[in-house]
Every structure is written in C-alpha cells, then in structure tokens.
C-alpha cells in the first residue's frame, strides 16, 4: 500500500502534504498535552514497533505469506493521535532510509495509512466495544472488525488517489502520465485484494495480539480514561 | 496404495515446508535489512562528491530533482535524468552493481507487472501497433499505451534511484536530523531519532526469538500455528517495549533531558552546496519551460 514516487502527479502529492501538515500539528499538540513526560519514549517505541510488525511475514492459506500494517493495533494501544504520529514516523523512516514508499508521496501515504486507518479503525473499535470489559469477547471482535475495515478503508482512499490520475493528467492523444487505471479499475482492484486477503491478515494479527494482551495486561487495550 | 501414501507424504512435507517459510522469510528480511543498513552507512562514510555535501542542501536538491522528474513528460528527458543520477552515483563512489540491483530489482519490476495491462487498447485506447490473438479474442497494443508505460516506468526508476542515492550518500541519523529544516514539531523530531534506534533493538529481539524457535522447535506444523506464534510474538514484543519506556526515560533524564528535546546543529555549508542547489533549480526550471513549450 506504500505508494512509490512516480505514480501520483505533483498536485496529488501536494494535497497529501497539505492534508497531513495540520493533522501532524494537531496530533503533536494533543499528544504533548496528554502524554506524561515519562511516556515520551512510548511514542518512539510505538513507531519502532509499527515498523517492525510491518516486517513480520504472516502465513496465509495457500502457502504464501503477507504483511500486516498494524495501524489499528497501535491506535488501540496508544490512541488515534499518537498512532498517527507513530505510523507517520515509521513511514518516513521506511521512505527516507529504506526506499520503501516515495519521498514526495510521504504525505499521501501518511494520510492513507497513518491517519485514515488509525482513525477509522479506532472509531469502529470504540463503537463496537462500547463499555465492555477489557477481557470481553466483544472487545476482541471489535478489534478484529476494526482492523479489517480500517485497512480496507485505507486501501479505498489509496485507490481513489490512483484512480483520479487518468482524470487529472492525460494528454490529448490519450496518453496517461501517471497511474494508468481509472477509478473503475483502481477501486475494485485495491479494495478487492484487501477484502479478500490482506484485510484478513490484519484481522488475524490484531485479534491474536489483543487476545494475548487481554490475558497479560488487559488494561492496555482500554481507551484512555475508561 | 504405495503411490497414494507417497503422494500424501510429499504433500505433507510440502505443506510443512510452506508453513515454516514465514520464520525463514522474516529472519531473511531482518538480515537483509540490517545488511542494507550496514552497506548504506559504509557508502555514506566514503569520501565521494555527494557525501561531502551539506545534507540539508542535498535533501532539498533531491526534493527539487524529484519534483522535476515527476513533472517530466518526455522519455528522452527522463533518460537524461537517469544518466545524471548514474553519474552522480559514480562520482560518489557508490558501487554501480549494488546501486543498479537496489534500484532496478524491486519497485520497478513490481511496477512493470502493474503497468503491463495498460498497454492494451482496453485500458489505453489509441493507435494500434500490434494485434495479438488471445484465445478466441483479438486484442491490440496501442502506441499511446506503450509510450505511457515506458514513461511511467522510467519515471519510477528515476525517482527510486534519486531516493536511494540520497539514502546511500547520507548517514541515516544525519538524514533524520536534517528534517529539522522543515520546522517539524519537536515531538516529531525526537520520535524520529529515537524510533530509528529502537527499530534495531526490536529487530534484534525478533531475530533472537525467531532463531530460538527455529533451532528448538524445528518445524511449525501448520499455518494456523504459525499465525499464533506471530501473534504471541507481537504481543510479547509490545509488552517488552512498553515496559522498557521507564528505563529509557530514566536514561534520558540522567543525560540531561528536562522535558524539551534539544539537538545539536552541526551542519556547515560550502560553495559546492549552493552549486548543487542552483543546479537542481536550473533543471527544474528547464523542465517547466520544456512543458510549457510542448503545450
């Protein structure tokens, strides 16, 4: 889901940054306000954790392996604003130091993965889990559904970014300049593969980790203040 | 009967081997990442042309060049860009074989598969160059589709090469420090620097525990067990990391942390840095002029 440079036109990359700059500003303000001084390293640890879980190869049916993103999991553990910062930091490091994802596309990638996935996943998690106890099955189901839908929504916004390229940038002779597939192809292709394969990987990983934490440290999966 | 048994055995062996690949693959990915990191740092320490440049100017010039590449619509200009990038890699003492392998293998190859269907008239209508018989149907490859695919692929190669060149010629911690010129919030700057260090620590933890599983357990019987192992590991890794925060905070306080992060500014610019910046601005201006002229 990391968009490399070259697929998106400059306007889309600029809109990605324009959308993310205020989000990063608000996230920094909220996190600074809510995080105790002793918890400052937690944000860095959260970013490193999300970077590392993206590297785990998870066995999926058919003998192959897939990767999880972990944004909803980090949002459940740290809250959506802190998750936005942690995942953004992981994406910036991946892009700048490991060439995974474009530098100009950092804004777009952070919008889809760090913001959309964290917030939508966290919202769904809170909505379904309600005021249930930390060890309840409802919370486990909520985490799974949130991870599945959060990733699918992130794939949807990514596919929109790809799909609008032929509409925005096409020459008179019909030559495409950036991502060649319109919305009719990009949305079903991206959303479809996430609904069928990667959404389930995300769901399984999130459920397993939440289940583990329910047994070990149940208060960790309760949103702040509950 | 024997052949059925043999077949079943073979199938079982295959599924066991498949179920185990996730351990080996993750270990291999970690080793590859660490190797890439070490070789990047070694290249960044060489006395090449780009290594001698101020990283702030290098980062801004790289961004300007990326913008120029993304704006370019002519394949010949994109090829010229690629020649400049290769030349820059050579004068920066980057091993060419390593550079080409790093830039051409993964993303451009993946992009080739993505872009391939777009050369057909069903996706990009236009002047038919070749007609192919696909079972009972005839499908045409268009000139517009071919040209567009070639431009997109060359642009992706240029972008990847530029990013990798920046990454190879700048020390990782310095590159992250350079981001301060964009006036990022202090929480961000500190998190970036600290997260970069923690990544290696967490990777080492994962590497050690996966090696232990491989050497002690031997085989993982099914994909389901494999997923359970991964889930338990992720949960355990989070708990371990979470519990580490107090020790990290104490270490920060003992080194003078008072609540506001302070970082040292040790960048020095030289005339050659301004030359690099002016060169990239001229290139960008040239691309903008060329686009207007062609329009």
């Amino acid at each position: 889901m990391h968009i490399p440079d070259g697929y998106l036109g400059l306007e889309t990359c600029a809109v990605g940054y324009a959308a993310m700059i205020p989000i990063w500003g608000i996230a920094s303000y909220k996190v600074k306000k809510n995080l105790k001084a002793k918890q400052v390293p937690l944000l860095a640890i959260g970013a490193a954790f999300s970077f590392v879980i993206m590297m785990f190869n998870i066995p999926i049916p058919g003998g192959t392996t897939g990767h999880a993103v972990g944004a909803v999991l980090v949002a459940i553990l740290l809250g959506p604003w802190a998750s936005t910062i942690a995942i953004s930091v992981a994406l910036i490091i991946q892009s700048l130091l490991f060439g995974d994802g474009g530098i100009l596309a950092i804004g777009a990638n952070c919008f889809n993965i760090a913001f959309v996935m964290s917030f939508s996943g966290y919202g769904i998690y809170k909505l379904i889990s309600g005021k249930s106890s930390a060890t309840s099955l409802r919370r486990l189901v909520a985490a799974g559904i949130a991870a599945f839908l959060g990733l699918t929504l992130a794939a949807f916004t990514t596919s929109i970014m790809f799909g609008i390229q032929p509409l925005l940038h096409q020459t008179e002779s019909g030559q495409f300049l950036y991502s060649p597939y319109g919305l009719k192809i990009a949305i079903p292709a991206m959303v479809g593969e996430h609904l069928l394969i990667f959404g389930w990987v995300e769901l399984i990983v999130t459920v397993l980790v939440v289940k583990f934490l329910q047994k070990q440290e149940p208060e960790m999966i309760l949103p702040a203040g509950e | 009967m024997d052949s059925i048994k043999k077949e079943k055995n073979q199938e079982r062996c295959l599924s066991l081997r498949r179920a185990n690949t996730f351990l080996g693959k993750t270990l291999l990915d970690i080793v590859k990442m660490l190797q890439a990191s070490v070789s990047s740092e070694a290249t960044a320490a060489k006395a090449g042309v780009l290594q001698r440049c101020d990283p702030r100017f290098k980062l801004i010039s790289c961004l300007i060049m990326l913008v120029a590449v993304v704006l370019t619509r002519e394949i010949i200009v994109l090829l010229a860009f690629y020649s400049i990038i290769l030349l820059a890699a050579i004068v920066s003492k980057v091993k060419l074989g390593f550079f080409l392998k790093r830039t051409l293998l993964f993303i451009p190859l993946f992009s080739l598969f993505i872009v391939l269907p777009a050369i057909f008239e069903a996706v990009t209508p236009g002047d038919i160059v070749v007609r192919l018989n696909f079972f009972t149907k005839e499908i045409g490859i268009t000139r517009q589709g071919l040209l567009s695919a070639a431009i997109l692929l060359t642009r992706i190669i240029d972008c990847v090469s530029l990013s990798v060149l920046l990454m190879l010629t700048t020390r990782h911690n310095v590159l992250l420090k350079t981001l301060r010129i964009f006036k990022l919030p202090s929480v961000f700057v500190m998190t970036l620097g600290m997260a970069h260090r923690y990544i290696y620590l967490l990777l080492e933890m994962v590497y050690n525990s996966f090696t232990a599983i491989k050497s002690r357990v031997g085989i993982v019987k099914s994909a389901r067990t494999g997923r359970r192992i991964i889930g338990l590991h992720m949960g355990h890794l989070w708990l371990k990391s979470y519990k580490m925060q107090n020790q990290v905070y104490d270490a920060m306080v003992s080194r003078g942390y008072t609540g506001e992060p302070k970082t040292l500014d040790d960048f020095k610019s030289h005339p050659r840095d301004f030359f690099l910046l002016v060169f990239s601005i001229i290139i960008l201006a040239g691309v903008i002029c060329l686009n207007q002229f062609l329009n």
Side-chain angles (χ1 to χ4, degrees), chain A residues 7 40 59 65 175 177-178 181, chain B residues 70 111 114 148 155 190 227:
Chain A
Y7 276 96
V40 168
T65 56
Q175 201 180 306
L177 292 169
Y178 300 97
Y181 306 107
Chain B
V70 169
S111 302
I114 289 179
S148 305
R155 186 188 292 121
M190 197 173 68
R227 285 193 290 273

Side-chain angles (χ1 to χ4, degrees), chain A residues 124-197:
Chain A
I124 295 163
Y125 173 71
K126 268 200 94 174
L127 195 77
I128 300 175
S129 62
K131 298 236 179 268
S132 58
S133 72
T135 51
S136 67
L137 180 70
R138 189 172 159 186
R139 214 162 265 280
L140 197 65
V141 173
I145 296 173
F148 183 85
L149 293 178
L151 184 75
T152 311
L153 277 169
F156 176 69
T157 50
T158 308
S159 68
I160 288 178
M161 286 183 184
F162 282 133
I164 57 171
Q165 298 312 306
L167 298 172
L168 294 174
H169 313 279
Q170 205 164 22
T171 62
E172 280 174 12
S173 61
Q175 201 180 306
F176 59 83
L177 292 169
Y178 300 97
S179 179
Y181 306 107
L183 291 165
K184 279 183 186 169
I185 300 176
I187 294 177
M190 283 286 291
V191 175
E193 69 171 358
H194 284 83
L195 276 173
L196 289 172
I197 308 167

Side-chain angles (χ1 to χ4, degrees), chain B:
Chain B
M1 200 64 180
D2 268 359
S3 67
I4 296 171
K5 239 184 183 178
K6 207 177 166 187
E7 219 169 81
K8 271 191 176 170
N9 252 348
Q10 272 179 343
E11 257 176 43
R12 201 171 163 266
C13 284
L14 195 68
S15 67
L16 278 178
R17 210 181 305 157
R18 279 175 174 173
N20 273 303
T21 51
F22 77 96
L23 280 176
K25 263 189 181 177
T26 308
L27 284 172
L28 196 70
D29 282 352
I30 294 173
V31 170
K32 270 186 192 168
M33 209 201 96
L34 294 176
Q35 272 177 345
S37 232
V38 169
S39 52
S40 281
E41 289 288 322
T43 315
K46 285 181 182 174
V49 170
L50 283 177
Q51 286 90 332
R52 279 200 287 258
C53 289
D54 184 328
R56 294 171 300 174
F57 284 80
K58 211 174 4 178
L59 179 63
I60 293 175
S61 304
C62 178
L63 284 173
I64 293 171
M65 289 289 274
L66 277 171
V67 170
V69 168
V70 169
L71 286 177
T72 303
R73 295 168 172 201
E74 294 299 309
I75 193 154
I76 194 89
V77 182
L78 287 169
L79 289 171
F81 268 123
Y82 193 57
S83 324
I84 295 172
I85 298 165
L86 284 185
L87 193 71
I90 294 167
V91 296
S92 302
K93 298 184 179 175
V94 177
K95 281 180 190 160
L96 212 55
F98 169 73
F99 184 72
L100 293 174
K101 206 172 128 189
R102 188 102 190 243
T103 53
L104 294 178
L105 269 189
F106 185 65
I107 297 172
L109 207 64
F110 178 70
S111 302
L112 180 70
F113 288 113
I114 289 179
V115 95
L116 212 59
I119 64 171
F120 297 104
E121 62 177 331
V123 180
T124 318
D127 316 324
I128 306 287
V129 182
V130 188
R131 281 204 180 276
L132 298 172
N133 284 318
F134 193 70
F135 296 109
T136 52
K137 258 192 160 184
E138 208 176 51
I139 47 169
I141 295 175
T142 64
R143 188 180 59 83
Q144 285 84 351
L146 276 174
L147 200 62
S148 305
I151 288 176
L152 184 61
L153 266 182
T154 322
R155 186 188 292 121
I156 290 166
I157 291 172
D158 281 359
C159 289
V160 171
S161 305
L162 265 170
S163 311
V164 170
L165 190 61
L166 173 74
M167 184 175 94
L168 287 176
T169 56
T170 320
R171 299 196 83 128
H172 284 182
N173 59 333
V174 176
L175 190 54
L176 291 178
K177 238 190 205 181
T178 315
L179 292 175
R180 285 207 310 269
I181 56 170
F182 298 113
K183 304 282 175 203
L184 289 176
S186 58
V187 176
F188 242 96
V189 179
M190 197 173 68
T191 309
L192 267 167
M194 284 172 73
H196 178 228
R197 288 183 208 115
Y198 283 120
I199 283 169
Y200 294 101
L201 185 72
L202 297 191
L203 281 178
E204 199 190 330
M205 284 183 194
V206 176
Y207 184 84
N208 289 340
S209 47
F210 272 33
T211 311
I213 296 172
K214 263 205 122 180
S215 57
R216 284 174 201 159
V217 180
I219 53 163
V220 177
K221 278 192 172 172
S222 65
R224 200 176 167 184
T225 318
R227 285 193 290 273
R228 215 182 124 250
I229 289 176
I230 294 281
L232 289 176
H233 260 84
M234 282 184 184
H236 178 66
L237 191 69
W238 174 254
L239 277 188
K240 225 173 169 180
S241 319
Y242 191 85
K243 282 172 183 162
M244 207 163 56
Q245 67 166 313
N246 285 338
Q247 295 167 353
V248 174
Y249 181 74
D250 290 344
M252 283 163 71
V253 171
S254 70
R255 284 169 178 82
Y257 176 72
T258 52
E260 269 304 310
K262 284 188 182 107
T263 37
L264 295 172
D265 261 319
D266 43 9
F267 297 124
K268 274 181 191 161
S269 49
H270 295 274
R272 61 171 172 261
D273 302 318
F274 290 96
F275 173 76
L276 184 70
L277 187 66
V278 171
F279 175 75
S280 51
I281 291 171
I282 290 171
I283 296 240
L284 176 62
V287 168
I288 292 169
C289 289
L290 185 73
N291 280 352
Q292 278 185 342
F293 175 73
L294 290 173
N295 277 342

